[in-house]
Short mmCIF file of all heavy atoms in Angstrom, two decimals:
data_model
loop_
_atom_site.label_atom_id
_atom_site.label_comp_id
_atom_site.label_asym_id
_atom_site.label_seq_id
_atom_site.Cartn_x
_atom_site.Cartn_y
_atom_site.Cartn_z
N MET M 1393 0.84 -1.21 0.00
CA MET M 1393 0.00 0.00 0.00
C MET M 1393 0.87 1.26 0.00
O MET M 1393 0.63 2.18 0.75
CB MET M 1393 -0.92 -0.01 1.23
CG MET M 1393 -1.87 -1.19 1.26
SD MET M 1393 -3.16 -1.03 0.03
CE MET M 1393 -4.56 -0.61 1.06
N ALA M 1394 1.89 1.28 -0.82
CA ALA M 1394 2.74 2.46 -0.88
C ALA M 1394 2.30 3.35 -2.05
O ALA M 1394 2.98 3.50 -3.04
CB ALA M 1394 4.19 2.06 -1.05
N ASP M 1395 1.15 3.91 -1.91
CA ASP M 1395 0.61 4.71 -3.01
C ASP M 1395 0.60 6.22 -2.68
O ASP M 1395 -0.03 7.00 -3.35
CB ASP M 1395 -0.78 4.24 -3.40
CG ASP M 1395 -1.72 4.21 -2.21
OD1 ASP M 1395 -1.29 4.56 -1.11
OD2 ASP M 1395 -2.87 3.86 -2.40
N GLY M 1396 1.30 6.59 -1.61
CA GLY M 1396 1.45 8.01 -1.30
C GLY M 1396 0.25 8.65 -0.68
O GLY M 1396 0.07 9.86 -0.79
N THR M 1397 -0.59 7.87 -0.01
CA THR M 1397 -1.77 8.46 0.62
C THR M 1397 -1.60 8.59 2.14
O THR M 1397 -2.55 8.86 2.85
CB THR M 1397 -3.02 7.61 0.34
OG1 THR M 1397 -2.77 6.28 0.73
CG2 THR M 1397 -3.40 7.66 -1.12
N GLU M 1398 -0.36 8.40 2.60
CA GLU M 1398 -0.12 8.43 4.04
C GLU M 1398 -0.43 9.80 4.64
O GLU M 1398 -0.88 9.89 5.76
CB GLU M 1398 1.33 8.06 4.33
CG GLU M 1398 1.61 6.58 4.16
CD GLU M 1398 2.94 6.34 3.50
OE1 GLU M 1398 3.13 6.86 2.38
OE2 GLU M 1398 3.78 5.65 4.09
N SER M 1399 -0.18 10.82 3.87
CA SER M 1399 -0.39 12.18 4.38
C SER M 1399 -1.86 12.45 4.69
O SER M 1399 -2.19 13.35 5.43
CB SER M 1399 0.14 13.20 3.38
OG SER M 1399 -0.50 13.04 2.14
N GLN M 1400 -2.74 11.69 4.07
CA GLN M 1400 -4.17 11.90 4.31
C GLN M 1400 -4.61 11.24 5.61
O GLN M 1400 -5.59 11.66 6.22
CB GLN M 1400 -4.98 11.33 3.15
CG GLN M 1400 -4.80 12.15 1.88
CD GLN M 1400 -5.68 11.65 0.76
OE1 GLN M 1400 -6.00 10.46 0.70
NE2 GLN M 1400 -6.08 12.52 -0.13
N ILE M 1401 -3.88 10.21 6.01
CA ILE M 1401 -4.24 9.52 7.24
C ILE M 1401 -3.83 10.35 8.45
O ILE M 1401 -4.60 10.56 9.37
CB ILE M 1401 -3.58 8.12 7.29
CG1 ILE M 1401 -4.09 7.28 6.13
CG2 ILE M 1401 -3.86 7.44 8.62
CD1 ILE M 1401 -3.19 6.12 5.76
N ILE M 1402 -2.59 10.85 8.39
CA ILE M 1402 -2.11 11.68 9.49
C ILE M 1402 -2.48 13.14 9.22
O ILE M 1402 -1.94 13.77 8.34
CB ILE M 1402 -0.58 11.54 9.67
CG1 ILE M 1402 -0.22 10.07 9.88
CG2 ILE M 1402 -0.12 12.39 10.83
CD1 ILE M 1402 1.23 9.74 9.55
N GLU M 1403 -3.40 13.63 10.01
CA GLU M 1403 -3.85 15.00 9.85
C GLU M 1403 -3.54 15.79 11.12
O GLU M 1403 -4.02 15.43 12.19
CB GLU M 1403 -5.35 15.00 9.57
CG GLU M 1403 -5.85 16.32 9.02
CD GLU M 1403 -7.33 16.26 8.71
OE1 GLU M 1403 -8.09 15.76 9.55
OE2 GLU M 1403 -7.73 16.73 7.63
N THR M 1404 -2.75 16.81 10.96
CA THR M 1404 -2.40 17.62 12.12
C THR M 1404 -3.59 18.48 12.55
O THR M 1404 -4.46 18.77 11.74
CB THR M 1404 -1.20 18.54 11.80
OG1 THR M 1404 -1.62 19.48 10.81
CG2 THR M 1404 -0.01 17.76 11.29
N PRO M 1405 -3.61 18.88 13.82
CA PRO M 1405 -4.70 19.75 14.29
C PRO M 1405 -4.81 21.04 13.48
O PRO M 1405 -5.90 21.54 13.26
CB PRO M 1405 -4.31 20.06 15.74
CG PRO M 1405 -3.45 18.93 16.14
CD PRO M 1405 -2.72 18.50 14.91
N GLU M 1406 -3.68 21.51 13.03
CA GLU M 1406 -3.66 22.73 12.21
C GLU M 1406 -4.39 22.49 10.88
O GLU M 1406 -5.18 23.32 10.43
CB GLU M 1406 -2.21 23.14 11.95
CG GLU M 1406 -2.05 24.35 11.06
CD GLU M 1406 -2.63 25.62 11.66
OE1 GLU M 1406 -2.68 25.73 12.90
OE2 GLU M 1406 -3.05 26.49 10.90
N GLU M 1407 -4.18 21.34 10.29
CA GLU M 1407 -4.85 21.00 9.03
C GLU M 1407 -6.35 20.83 9.24
O GLU M 1407 -7.15 21.23 8.41
CB GLU M 1407 -4.25 19.73 8.43
CG GLU M 1407 -2.92 19.98 7.75
CD GLU M 1407 -2.26 18.68 7.30
OE1 GLU M 1407 -2.47 17.65 7.97
OE2 GLU M 1407 -1.55 18.71 6.30
N ARG M 1408 -6.69 20.21 10.35
CA ARG M 1408 -8.11 20.03 10.68
C ARG M 1408 -8.80 21.39 10.81
O ARG M 1408 -9.90 21.58 10.31
CB ARG M 1408 -8.25 19.27 12.00
CG ARG M 1408 -8.01 17.80 11.87
CD ARG M 1408 -8.07 17.17 13.23
NE ARG M 1408 -9.44 16.80 13.58
CZ ARG M 1408 -9.93 15.58 13.41
NH1 ARG M 1408 -9.18 14.63 12.89
NH2 ARG M 1408 -11.16 15.29 13.75
N ARG M 1409 -8.12 22.29 11.52
CA ARG M 1409 -8.67 23.61 11.75
C ARG M 1409 -8.84 24.37 10.44
O ARG M 1409 -9.84 25.04 10.21
CB ARG M 1409 -7.75 24.40 12.69
CG ARG M 1409 -8.46 25.51 13.44
CD ARG M 1409 -7.50 26.15 14.42
NE ARG M 1409 -6.44 26.86 13.70
CZ ARG M 1409 -6.45 28.18 13.50
NH1 ARG M 1409 -7.40 28.91 13.97
NH2 ARG M 1409 -5.47 28.75 12.83
N ARG M 1410 -7.83 24.24 9.59
CA ARG M 1410 -7.87 24.94 8.30
C ARG M 1410 -9.01 24.42 7.44
O ARG M 1410 -9.71 25.17 6.77
CB ARG M 1410 -6.54 24.74 7.56
CG ARG M 1410 -5.71 26.01 7.55
CD ARG M 1410 -4.43 25.80 6.80
NE ARG M 1410 -4.64 25.31 5.44
CZ ARG M 1410 -3.67 24.86 4.65
NH1 ARG M 1410 -2.44 24.86 5.07
NH2 ARG M 1410 -3.93 24.44 3.45
N ARG M 1411 -9.19 23.10 7.45
CA ARG M 1411 -10.26 22.52 6.64
C ARG M 1411 -11.64 22.91 7.20
O ARG M 1411 -12.57 23.17 6.46
CB ARG M 1411 -10.12 21.00 6.60
CG ARG M 1411 -10.80 20.42 5.38
CD ARG M 1411 -10.60 18.94 5.32
NE ARG M 1411 -11.01 18.27 6.54
CZ ARG M 1411 -11.00 16.95 6.71
NH1 ARG M 1411 -10.57 16.19 5.75
NH2 ARG M 1411 -11.39 16.40 7.83
N PHE M 1412 -11.70 22.94 8.51
CA PHE M 1412 -12.96 23.35 9.14
C PHE M 1412 -13.30 24.78 8.76
O PHE M 1412 -14.44 25.08 8.39
CB PHE M 1412 -12.85 23.23 10.66
CG PHE M 1412 -14.05 23.74 11.39
CD1 PHE M 1412 -15.18 22.94 11.50
CD2 PHE M 1412 -14.06 25.00 11.93
CE1 PHE M 1412 -16.30 23.40 12.17
CE2 PHE M 1412 -15.17 25.47 12.60
CZ PHE M 1412 -16.30 24.68 12.72
N LEU M 1413 -12.31 25.66 8.82
CA LEU M 1413 -12.53 27.06 8.47
C LEU M 1413 -12.94 27.20 7.01
O LEU M 1413 -13.81 27.99 6.66
CB LEU M 1413 -11.26 27.88 8.73
CG LEU M 1413 -11.03 28.29 10.19
CD1 LEU M 1413 -9.65 28.91 10.35
CD2 LEU M 1413 -12.09 29.28 10.64
N LEU M 1414 -12.30 26.40 6.17
CA LEU M 1414 -12.61 26.45 4.74
C LEU M 1414 -14.04 26.04 4.49
O LEU M 1414 -14.77 26.66 3.72
CB LEU M 1414 -11.65 25.50 4.00
CG LEU M 1414 -11.53 25.73 2.49
CD1 LEU M 1414 -10.65 26.93 2.22
CD2 LEU M 1414 -10.96 24.50 1.83
N GLU M 1415 -14.47 24.98 5.17
CA GLU M 1415 -15.83 24.52 5.00
C GLU M 1415 -16.83 25.50 5.60
O GLU M 1415 -17.94 25.64 5.12
CB GLU M 1415 -15.99 23.13 5.64
CG GLU M 1415 -15.32 22.07 4.81
CD GLU M 1415 -15.37 20.71 5.49
OE1 GLU M 1415 -16.14 20.54 6.45
OE2 GLU M 1415 -14.64 19.82 5.05
N PHE M 1416 -16.41 26.14 6.67
CA PHE M 1416 -17.27 27.13 7.32
C PHE M 1416 -17.42 28.36 6.44
O PHE M 1416 -18.50 28.93 6.32
CB PHE M 1416 -16.66 27.50 8.67
CG PHE M 1416 -17.51 28.43 9.47
CD1 PHE M 1416 -18.62 27.94 10.16
CD2 PHE M 1416 -17.22 29.78 9.54
CE1 PHE M 1416 -19.42 28.79 10.91
CE2 PHE M 1416 -18.01 30.64 10.29
CZ PHE M 1416 -19.11 30.15 10.97
N GLU M 1417 -16.31 28.74 5.83
CA GLU M 1417 -16.29 29.94 4.99
C GLU M 1417 -17.01 29.71 3.67
O GLU M 1417 -17.64 30.60 3.13
CB GLU M 1417 -14.84 30.33 4.71
CG GLU M 1417 -14.51 31.74 5.12
CD GLU M 1417 -13.07 32.08 4.80
OE1 GLU M 1417 -12.57 31.63 3.76
OE2 GLU M 1417 -12.46 32.81 5.60
N ARG M 1418 -16.84 28.50 3.13
CA ARG M 1418 -17.44 28.21 1.83
C ARG M 1418 -18.33 26.98 1.93
O ARG M 1418 -17.92 25.86 1.59
CB ARG M 1418 -16.32 27.97 0.81
CG ARG M 1418 -15.41 29.17 0.72
CD ARG M 1418 -14.28 28.89 -0.24
NE ARG M 1418 -13.36 30.04 -0.26
CZ ARG M 1418 -12.42 30.18 -1.16
NH1 ARG M 1418 -12.24 29.30 -2.10
NH2 ARG M 1418 -11.63 31.23 -1.13
N PRO M 1419 -19.53 27.17 2.38
CA PRO M 1419 -20.39 26.02 2.65
C PRO M 1419 -21.00 25.39 1.40
O PRO M 1419 -21.53 24.29 1.48
CB PRO M 1419 -21.49 26.60 3.55
CG PRO M 1419 -21.43 28.07 3.38
CD PRO M 1419 -20.15 28.44 2.74
N PHE M 1420 -20.88 26.06 0.29
CA PHE M 1420 -21.52 25.52 -0.92
C PHE M 1420 -20.51 24.76 -1.76
O PHE M 1420 -19.64 25.34 -2.39
CB PHE M 1420 -22.16 26.64 -1.73
CG PHE M 1420 -23.19 27.38 -0.92
CD1 PHE M 1420 -22.90 28.64 -0.41
CD2 PHE M 1420 -24.42 26.81 -0.65
CE1 PHE M 1420 -23.83 29.32 0.36
CE2 PHE M 1420 -25.36 27.49 0.11
CZ PHE M 1420 -25.07 28.74 0.61
N LYS M 1421 -20.63 23.46 -1.73
CA LYS M 1421 -19.68 22.61 -2.43
C LYS M 1421 -20.27 22.05 -3.70
O LYS M 1421 -21.42 21.59 -3.71
CB LYS M 1421 -19.26 21.46 -1.51
CG LYS M 1421 -18.03 20.74 -2.03
CD LYS M 1421 -17.64 19.62 -1.09
CE LYS M 1421 -18.25 18.33 -1.54
NZ LYS M 1421 -17.73 17.17 -0.81
N CYS M 1422 -19.47 22.11 -4.75
CA CYS M 1422 -19.88 21.49 -6.00
C CYS M 1422 -19.70 19.98 -5.88
O CYS M 1422 -18.61 19.52 -5.59
CB CYS M 1422 -19.04 22.04 -7.15
SG CYS M 1422 -19.38 21.21 -8.71
N GLU M 1423 -20.76 19.25 -6.09
CA GLU M 1423 -20.68 17.81 -5.90
C GLU M 1423 -19.99 17.11 -7.06
O GLU M 1423 -19.68 15.94 -7.00
CB GLU M 1423 -22.08 17.21 -5.69
CG GLU M 1423 -23.00 17.30 -6.87
CD GLU M 1423 -23.82 18.60 -6.85
OE1 GLU M 1423 -23.46 19.53 -6.11
OE2 GLU M 1423 -24.80 18.67 -7.58
N LYS M 1424 -19.72 17.86 -8.11
CA LYS M 1424 -19.07 17.25 -9.28
C LYS M 1424 -17.56 17.36 -9.25
O LYS M 1424 -16.86 16.51 -9.76
CB LYS M 1424 -19.61 17.89 -10.55
CG LYS M 1424 -21.06 17.51 -10.77
CD LYS M 1424 -21.51 17.88 -12.17
CE LYS M 1424 -22.94 17.39 -12.39
NZ LYS M 1424 -23.49 17.83 -13.66
N CYS M 1425 -17.03 18.44 -8.68
CA CYS M 1425 -15.58 18.58 -8.66
C CYS M 1425 -15.04 19.00 -7.29
O CYS M 1425 -13.87 19.28 -7.16
CB CYS M 1425 -15.12 19.57 -9.73
SG CYS M 1425 -15.58 21.26 -9.39
N ASP M 1426 -15.90 19.04 -6.27
CA ASP M 1426 -15.49 19.32 -4.90
C ASP M 1426 -14.96 20.73 -4.67
O ASP M 1426 -14.32 21.00 -3.67
CB ASP M 1426 -14.44 18.31 -4.41
CG ASP M 1426 -15.11 17.03 -3.93
OD1 ASP M 1426 -16.34 16.89 -4.12
OD2 ASP M 1426 -14.41 16.20 -3.36
N GLU M 1427 -15.23 21.61 -5.58
CA GLU M 1427 -14.82 22.98 -5.38
C GLU M 1427 -15.83 23.67 -4.47
O GLU M 1427 -17.00 23.34 -4.47
CB GLU M 1427 -14.75 23.72 -6.72
CG GLU M 1427 -13.74 24.83 -6.70
CD GLU M 1427 -13.38 25.30 -8.11
OE1 GLU M 1427 -13.23 24.44 -8.98
OE2 GLU M 1427 -13.27 26.50 -8.29
N ARG M 1428 -15.33 24.64 -3.69
CA ARG M 1428 -16.20 25.27 -2.69
C ARG M 1428 -16.44 26.74 -3.01
O ARG M 1428 -15.59 27.41 -3.55
CB ARG M 1428 -15.57 25.15 -1.30
CG ARG M 1428 -15.53 23.74 -0.84
CD ARG M 1428 -15.00 23.67 0.57
NE ARG M 1428 -15.27 22.35 1.10
CZ ARG M 1428 -16.44 22.02 1.61
NH1 ARG M 1428 -17.41 22.89 1.72
NH2 ARG M 1428 -16.64 20.80 2.04
N PHE M 1429 -17.63 27.19 -2.57
CA PHE M 1429 -17.99 28.57 -2.84
C PHE M 1429 -18.64 29.24 -1.64
O PHE M 1429 -19.33 28.59 -0.86
CB PHE M 1429 -18.93 28.63 -4.04
CG PHE M 1429 -18.29 28.05 -5.28
CD1 PHE M 1429 -18.47 26.70 -5.58
CD2 PHE M 1429 -17.51 28.83 -6.10
CE1 PHE M 1429 -17.86 26.16 -6.70
CE2 PHE M 1429 -16.90 28.29 -7.21
CZ PHE M 1429 -17.08 26.95 -7.52
N LYS M 1430 -18.40 30.54 -1.56
CA LYS M 1430 -18.96 31.30 -0.44
C LYS M 1430 -20.45 31.48 -0.58
O LYS M 1430 -21.18 31.51 0.40
CB LYS M 1430 -18.30 32.68 -0.38
CG LYS M 1430 -16.95 32.67 0.31
CD LYS M 1430 -16.42 34.09 0.42
CE LYS M 1430 -15.01 34.09 0.99
NZ LYS M 1430 -14.46 35.44 1.07
N LYS M 1431 -20.88 31.66 -1.81
CA LYS M 1431 -22.29 31.93 -2.03
C LYS M 1431 -22.90 30.93 -3.00
O LYS M 1431 -22.24 30.44 -3.90
CB LYS M 1431 -22.46 33.36 -2.59
CG LYS M 1431 -22.07 34.40 -1.57
CD LYS M 1431 -22.36 35.79 -2.08
CE LYS M 1431 -22.00 36.83 -1.01
NZ LYS M 1431 -22.20 38.20 -1.50
N LYS M 1432 -24.18 30.69 -2.78
CA LYS M 1432 -24.90 29.73 -3.62
C LYS M 1432 -24.90 30.20 -5.07
O LYS M 1432 -24.88 29.41 -5.99
CB LYS M 1432 -26.33 29.59 -3.11
CG LYS M 1432 -26.94 28.27 -3.49
CD LYS M 1432 -28.26 28.08 -2.77
CE LYS M 1432 -28.81 26.69 -3.02
NZ LYS M 1432 -30.03 26.44 -2.27
N LYS M 1433 -24.93 31.50 -5.22
CA LYS M 1433 -24.94 32.08 -6.55
C LYS M 1433 -23.67 31.71 -7.31
O LYS M 1433 -23.71 31.39 -8.50
CB LYS M 1433 -25.03 33.61 -6.40
CG LYS M 1433 -25.25 34.34 -7.68
CD LYS M 1433 -25.22 35.85 -7.42
CE LYS M 1433 -24.85 36.56 -8.70
NZ LYS M 1433 -23.94 37.67 -8.48
N TYR M 1434 -22.52 31.75 -6.61
CA TYR M 1434 -21.25 31.43 -7.24
C TYR M 1434 -21.23 29.96 -7.68
O TYR M 1434 -20.72 29.62 -8.74
CB TYR M 1434 -20.09 31.66 -6.28
CG TYR M 1434 -19.91 33.11 -5.85
CD1 TYR M 1434 -19.16 33.41 -4.73
CD2 TYR M 1434 -20.49 34.14 -6.59
CE1 TYR M 1434 -18.98 34.72 -4.33
CE2 TYR M 1434 -20.32 35.45 -6.20
CZ TYR M 1434 -19.57 35.75 -5.06
OH TYR M 1434 -19.39 37.04 -4.66
N LEU M 1435 -21.79 29.12 -6.82
CA LEU M 1435 -21.83 27.70 -7.14
C LEU M 1435 -22.69 27.47 -8.38
O LEU M 1435 -22.32 26.70 -9.26
CB LEU M 1435 -22.40 26.93 -5.95
CG LEU M 1435 -22.69 25.45 -6.18
CD1 LEU M 1435 -21.43 24.68 -6.53
CD2 LEU M 1435 -23.34 24.84 -4.95
N ARG M 1436 -23.79 28.17 -8.44
CA ARG M 1436 -24.68 28.03 -9.59
C ARG M 1436 -23.99 28.50 -10.87
O ARG M 1436 -24.08 27.87 -11.92
CB ARG M 1436 -25.95 28.85 -9.35
CG ARG M 1436 -27.17 28.22 -9.97
CD ARG M 1436 -28.43 28.91 -9.51
NE ARG M 1436 -28.37 30.35 -9.71
CZ ARG M 1436 -28.87 31.24 -8.87
NH1 ARG M 1436 -29.48 30.84 -7.78
NH2 ARG M 1436 -28.77 32.52 -9.10
N GLU M 1437 -23.26 29.59 -10.76
CA GLU M 1437 -22.54 30.12 -11.92
C GLU M 1437 -21.43 29.17 -12.34
O GLU M 1437 -21.21 28.94 -13.54
CB GLU M 1437 -21.95 31.49 -11.59
CG GLU M 1437 -22.99 32.59 -11.63
CD GLU M 1437 -22.45 33.92 -11.10
OE1 GLU M 1437 -21.26 33.98 -10.72
OE2 GLU M 1437 -23.24 34.86 -11.05
N HIS M 1438 -20.75 28.62 -11.35
CA HIS M 1438 -19.69 27.65 -11.62
C HIS M 1438 -20.24 26.45 -12.36
O HIS M 1438 -19.69 26.00 -13.37
CB HIS M 1438 -19.04 27.23 -10.30
CG HIS M 1438 -18.30 25.94 -10.37
ND1 HIS M 1438 -17.01 25.84 -10.82
CD2 HIS M 1438 -18.68 24.69 -10.06
CE1 HIS M 1438 -16.62 24.58 -10.78
NE2 HIS M 1438 -17.62 23.84 -10.32
N LYS M 1439 -21.35 25.93 -11.88
CA LYS M 1439 -21.97 24.76 -12.51
C LYS M 1439 -22.37 25.06 -13.95
O LYS M 1439 -22.18 24.24 -14.84
CB LYS M 1439 -23.21 24.34 -11.73
CG LYS M 1439 -22.87 23.47 -10.53
CD LYS M 1439 -24.17 23.07 -9.85
CE LYS M 1439 -23.93 22.11 -8.70
NZ LYS M 1439 -25.19 21.82 -8.00
N ALA M 1440 -22.93 26.24 -14.14
CA ALA M 1440 -23.36 26.63 -15.48
C ALA M 1440 -22.18 26.75 -16.44
O ALA M 1440 -22.28 26.43 -17.62
CB ALA M 1440 -24.11 27.95 -15.41
N GLU M 1441 -21.03 27.20 -15.88
CA GLU M 1441 -19.87 27.39 -16.74
C GLU M 1441 -19.11 26.09 -16.98
O GLU M 1441 -18.74 25.76 -18.10
CB GLU M 1441 -18.93 28.39 -16.08
CG GLU M 1441 -19.18 29.81 -16.52
CD GLU M 1441 -18.14 30.76 -15.93
OE1 GLU M 1441 -16.97 30.37 -15.82
OE2 GLU M 1441 -18.53 31.88 -15.57
N VAL M 1442 -18.84 25.37 -15.88
CA VAL M 1442 -17.93 24.22 -15.97
C VAL M 1442 -18.67 22.92 -16.29
O VAL M 1442 -18.16 22.08 -17.02
CB VAL M 1442 -17.13 24.08 -14.66
CG1 VAL M 1442 -16.09 22.97 -14.77
CG2 VAL M 1442 -16.44 25.39 -14.32
N HIS M 1443 -19.86 22.76 -15.73
CA HIS M 1443 -20.58 21.50 -15.90
C HIS M 1443 -21.86 21.69 -16.70
O HIS M 1443 -22.89 21.08 -16.41
CB HIS M 1443 -20.91 20.90 -14.54
CG HIS M 1443 -19.75 20.86 -13.59
ND1 HIS M 1443 -18.62 20.11 -13.81
CD2 HIS M 1443 -19.55 21.50 -12.41
CE1 HIS M 1443 -17.79 20.29 -12.80
NE2 HIS M 1443 -18.33 21.13 -11.94
N SER M 1444 -21.82 22.58 -17.65
CA SER M 1444 -23.06 22.93 -18.34
C SER M 1444 -23.54 21.87 -19.31
O SER M 1444 -24.72 21.78 -19.59
CB SER M 1444 -22.86 24.26 -19.07
OG SER M 1444 -21.76 24.16 -19.94
N TYR M 1445 -22.63 21.06 -19.81
CA TYR M 1445 -23.04 20.07 -20.81
C TYR M 1445 -23.56 18.78 -20.18
O TYR M 1445 -23.29 18.50 -19.05
CB TYR M 1445 -21.89 19.75 -21.76
CG TYR M 1445 -20.60 19.40 -21.09
CD1 TYR M 1445 -20.25 18.07 -20.81
CD2 TYR M 1445 -19.72 20.42 -20.70
CE1 TYR M 1445 -19.07 17.78 -20.20
CE2 TYR M 1445 -18.53 20.11 -20.07
CZ TYR M 1445 -18.21 18.78 -19.82
OH TYR M 1445 -17.04 18.47 -19.20
ZN1 LIG X 1926 -17.75 21.85 -10.19
#
């Protein structure tokens, strides 16, 4: 299992905090590419642009 995913298992408290803040700041996540947005409007625009087809 040496596929370089070890860094995902070990998560420092600082990384946890950063991810929490990111999710708190940008609660609207695109379910197609996991990108995050501050506003629902941005997510809608992103979807229309990137995943329109
Ligand atoms: Zn997307």
